[in-house]
Amino acid sequence: MPHIFYLFSIFTALLSPFYLSAQTRTPLYSSQSGFIAPLDIPLVLSGNFGEFRGDHFHTGLDFKTQGKEGFPVLAVADGIVSRVKVKPWGYGHALYLKHADGTTTVYGHLSRYALPISEWLLERQYSKRSFSIDSRPATEISFSVGDTIGWSGNSGSSGGPHLHFEVRDENEKPINPLQWGFHIADSQSPKVGSLRVIPIDSQGLENRSQTREVKSGGVFEIPSGNIRLAVEANDQLDGASNVCGVYSLEVFVDGDLYSSFFIDTLDFSTNKDMNAHAYYPEWKSSRTQIHRFTPLPGNRLSIYEFTPVVQLEVVEDSTMHISVRCSDAHGNTTTKGYTLFGGSSFEQTIASSQSESVFCPAMPSTVTTLEDGGVEVVWPERSFYNRETASLQVFSNGEFFIGPEDAALAKSFRVNLNDLEGDLSKLVAVSLSEKGIRLGVEICESQGGVVSFSSRRMGRYKLVRDTIAPRLLPKFSATPLVSNGNLVFHLEDELSGVSKVEGFIDGEWVLLRWDPKMKTAVYSVTDLHHIPGVKSQITVRVEDGVGNESFWTGSVEMGK
Ligand SMILES: [Zn+2]
């Protein structure tokens, strides 16, 4: 008896570090920095660090700005301007401040910059003849804590006025800013929803069409066999209805720690592996944040603290208890339990409905190639996160289907179309949903009779020629002038999209501030000196992704 007790104690001692690390863990970074808040209004988040976004984890905090633009944005600490980045998309007008401790803070979607940055930027844009700028001012510009560095806005790929705020370490890796102790009200615990039970075969091929949804409480019978698990989890903070991301998940299977992750830091070089962390079919279809417990073989994220060493198997006539503990960055915690009962084993059925398709096994480590009916698809190595079955079907109307549609990809695949006839210029590949709704457009290249394009979205495609030039006209009827004297143009392009916008006044290049989401390009009348009573010749040129162009010319009195 003493011997048994002794062995048991050793066993417990061996296991306990995992429990300890799970329960007494301190975040990688703590609120020592003394950063002040970047806005002088009550801090309410519409997005947090680590939430799922498009094809990546969100790397900062989104502070709500009461639905409007123009709040002063403050330097959170003394710092030197290390980068000014202006783009029509992404963070729009962004500022990077480097601090003495090696960290950098990033402020995105600004409406405008404070002096002297605004002056430096305008000079730079005119000398480079470019709206987009990504540069560090040659003369050092520094700000003290609390200084206004610019004003909040809605520039770039922003879904509404807010401030995107990011903290990066000395290696440019984003850090969870909620560890800096900003006063953000958060009395709400994370929401943990249903479990997803994904059957897999002995080699890890997932049968996602048979994934079961299991609710907390009760006992759920599922077919016995090997499985992977994922759970729906998200978070909300006070004062906003926005669905945010969770900070950590710890999973226990039959009482033992099975897996855990903590989103303290992220890494831009692997950030798109969010698609592999997510249960991709549902992220893709419904934007539900479902977290996998087992990282897929090709997943390079470094958020996992404890990863499973054994394959989970539901044994016939046996139960399996799964406990999920989920935390937000403010320490609110939710725990949910799920019980699985092993039923009779699942019958492996081979998909026969797609007998017109060609198939091949796809592995993360190798190049995968499929060819049929003049269509060749090439996935480079490390495209797939998991073992998959790649498929290709070419239809009689020239459309084709690339599968599996419900698998995430780490890289773009290449499609080469060989047997096309007619004019091969200005072709685009349109990705279609099952119902024929356009999901995306890829611009094709044509060389030596072969038409090619790259994409990361599998599914149905059709080729279309884009011969229609962009739409370009004054935004306001009769005249492009608005009350404050600016020139405002409306521009859009249906298929390949607007790719270039240029403006000239009396033959001289002028800055057009292009906002693709608003479909506008604006010349600010204060940029140059205009003589009252003298008309200027205005020319605007817009080009789409395949080279179709539109012009607007007119004679306008600019001075007042
Ligand atoms: Zn953001």
Side-chain angles (χ1 to χ4, degrees):
M1 194 62 193
H3 289 285
I4 292 166
F5 181 71
Y6 176 67
L7 282 173
F8 178 72
S9 304
I10 293 236
F11 189 57
T12 312
L14 283 171
L15 275 178
S16 60
F18 303 136
Y19 285 97
L20 279 176
S21 74
Q23 282 165 1
T24 61
R25 194 179 178 287
T26 46
L28 212 54
Y29 295 86
S30 53
S31 51
Q32 304 300 317
S33 73
F35 283 179
I36 65 157
L39 290 168
D40 192 21
I41 53 175
L43 301 179
V44 180
L45 293 188
S46 61
N48 68 352
F49 190 84
E51 71 177 70
F52 297 10
R53 281 285 176 88
D55 62 355
H56 59 274
F57 285 111
H58 189 234
T59 52
L61 302 179
D62 285 343
F63 290 107
K64 285 171 95 87
T65 52
Q66 305 173 3
K68 46 190 188 201
E69 304 185 26
F71 286 100
V73 174
L74 314 175
V76 298
D78 294 351
I80 294 163
V81 176
S82 58
R83 192 176 182 186
V84 177
K85 192 173 178 185
V86 177
K87 277 202 311 178
W89 303 279
Y91 295 164
H93 286 73
L95 183 79
Y96 295 62
L97 262 195
K98 182 106 179 165
H99 307 288
D101 65 355
T103 57
T104 300
T105 49
V106 184
Y107 311 79
H109 309 302
L110 302 175
S111 58
R112 59 194 177 97
Y113 298 99
L115 286 169
I117 304 166
S118 55
E119 246 174 34
W120 168 85
L121 175 67
L122 194 65
E123 207 272 330
R124 183 106 187 145
Q125 286 173 317
Y126 272 86
S127 68
K128 295 209 74 166
R129 295 175 142 226
S130 170
F131 170 59
S132 296
I133 292 292
D134 186 358
S135 185
R136 179 199 183 111
T139 316
E140 192 174 286
I141 299 174
S142 61
F143 287 104
S144 298
V145 60
D147 282 353
T148 297
I149 55 112
W151 285 266
S152 69
N154 189 31
S155 60
S157 310
S158 171
H162 74 280
L163 173 70
H164 174 91
F165 174 72
E166 205 168 292
V167 182
R168 298 185 184 177
D169 70 10
E170 58 279 8
N171 301 312
E172 282 287 306
K173 286 188 179 161
I175 312 165
N176 196 340
L178 289 181
Q179 293 168 1
W180 260 270
F182 294 125
H183 295 287
I184 297 167
D186 183 7
S187 62
Q188 304 186 51
S189 296
K191 291 191 174 61
V192 178
S194 307
L195 201 67
R196 301 295 186 280
V197 181
I198 311 149
I200 58 170
D201 72 6
S202 57
Q203 293 177 69
L205 185 70
E206 295 184 342
N207 193 344
R208 290 185 290 266
S209 66
Q210 298 299 321
T211 292
R212 303 289 176 95
E213 192 177 332
V214 170
K215 289 190 165 53
S216 179
V219 179
F220 283 79
E221 184 174 324
I222 61 152
S224 58
N226 289 332
I227 56 164
R228 282 185 188 144
L229 296 172
V231 76
E232 199 177 326
N234 59 51
D235 191 37
Q236 276 184 301
L237 291 92
D238 297 355
S241 58
N242 305 74
V243 174
C244 291
V246 303
Y247 166 63
S248 75
L249 270 189
E250 293 155 280
V251 179
F252 300 83
V253 175
D254 292 330
D256 294 334
L257 182 65
Y258 179 71
S259 71
S260 66
F261 72 79
F262 295 82
I263 310 185
D264 290 305
T265 64
L266 290 166
D267 185 336
F268 290 107
S269 69
T270 57
N271 202 26
K272 285 187 191 307
D273 287 4
M274 181 282 289
N275 289 308
H277 172 81
Y279 182 60
Y280 185 73
E282 289 188 67
W283 172 243
K284 186 182 173 183
S285 64
S286 65
R287 291 291 185 241
T288 310
Q289 298 187 58
I290 302 174
H291 305 261
R292 285 178 179 269
F293 297 167
T294 316
L296 294 176
N299 179 344
R300 301 158 296 173
L301 293 168
S302 53
I303 59 173
Y304 305 100
E305 192 158 279
F306 194 80
T307 53
V309 284
V310 291
Q311 187 65 256
L312 276 187
E313 185 187 356
V314 179
V315 178
E316 195 163 350
D317 295 331
S318 301
T319 54
M320 180 187 279
H321 298 282
I322 294 132
S323 173
V324 174
R325 186 164 63 203
C326 180
S327 303
D328 64 23
H330 296 108
N332 300 303
T333 297
T334 301
T335 302
K336 284 270 177 84
Y338 309 83
T339 305
L340 307 180
F341 179 78
S344 52
S345 72
F346 184 75
E347 280 178 42
Q348 294 286 342
T349 51
I350 305 299
S352 57
S353 57
Q354 290 186 328
S355 55
E356 302 294 310
S357 305
V358 289
F359 296 93
C360 78
M363 308 294 283
S365 56
T366 55
V367 177
T368 305
T369 307
L370 271 178
E371 195 174 356
D372 194 35
V375 180
E376 182 194 46
V377 187
V378 182
W379 291 266
E381 59 184 52
R382 285 185 284 280
S383 292
F384 290 95
Y385 286 110
N386 188 48
R387 186 181 152 230
E388 298 287 349
T389 302
S391 71
L392 170 65
Q393 184 173 8
V394 181
F395 302 99
S396 54
N397 63 359
E399 292 181 11
F400 46 93
F401 185 93
I402 298 165
E405 206 178 3
D406 63 352
L409 288 177
K411 288 181 182 173
S412 295
F413 55 86
R414 187 88 179 150
V415 179
N416 301 311
L417 303 142
N418 293 294
D419 301 335
L420 300 178
E421 289 169 358
D423 192 344
L424 302 185
S425 67
K426 297 185 176 180
L427 285 173
V428 295
V430 178
S431 146
L432 299 165
S433 74
E434 251 172 64
K435 289 172 180 161
I437 295 162
R438 195 168 77 204
L439 301 172
V441 176
E442 307 295 345
I443 293 163
C444 297
E445 293 162 33
S446 172
Q447 206 167 37
V450 181
V451 171
S452 308
F453 70 92
S454 295
S455 177
R456 266 173 67 157
R457 185 191 288 115
M458 294 192 275
R460 190 150 69 98
Y461 279 91
K462 75 169 173 185
L463 284 196
V464 179
R465 279 198 83 216
D466 177 8
T467 56
I468 300 167
R471 197 169 143 81
L472 167 63
L473 69 169
K475 169 113 179 152
F476 301 98
S477 59
T479 165
L481 289 173
V482 293
S483 55
N484 59 7
N486 296 339
L487 294 168
V488 185
F489 292 92
H490 172 94
L491 37 107
E492 61 182 313
D493 187 78
E494 182 69 2
L495 275 171
S496 56
V498 173
S499 69
K500 198 173 182 187
V501 185
E502 282 185 311
F504 300 88
I505 297 183
D506 295 329
E508 291 294 315
W509 184 91
V510 291
L511 175 64
L512 289 181
R513 293 165 180 86
W514 175 28
D515 188 338
K517 69 176 181 301
M518 302 302 290
K519 299 175 181 170
T520 56
V522 179
Y523 167 71
S524 173
V525 75
T526 54
D527 279 6
L528 301 172
H529 180 65
H530 299 284
I531 302 160
V534 177
K535 284 196 168 182
S536 295
Q537 191 65 27
I538 316 286
T539 303
V540 178
R541 179 181 167 274
V542 178
E543 191 178 314
D544 73 7
V546 297
N548 296 306
E549 49 181 16
S550 296
F551 291 87
W552 186 91
T553 54
S555 191
V556 179
E557 189 187 329
M558 300 293 297
K560 286 225 163 165

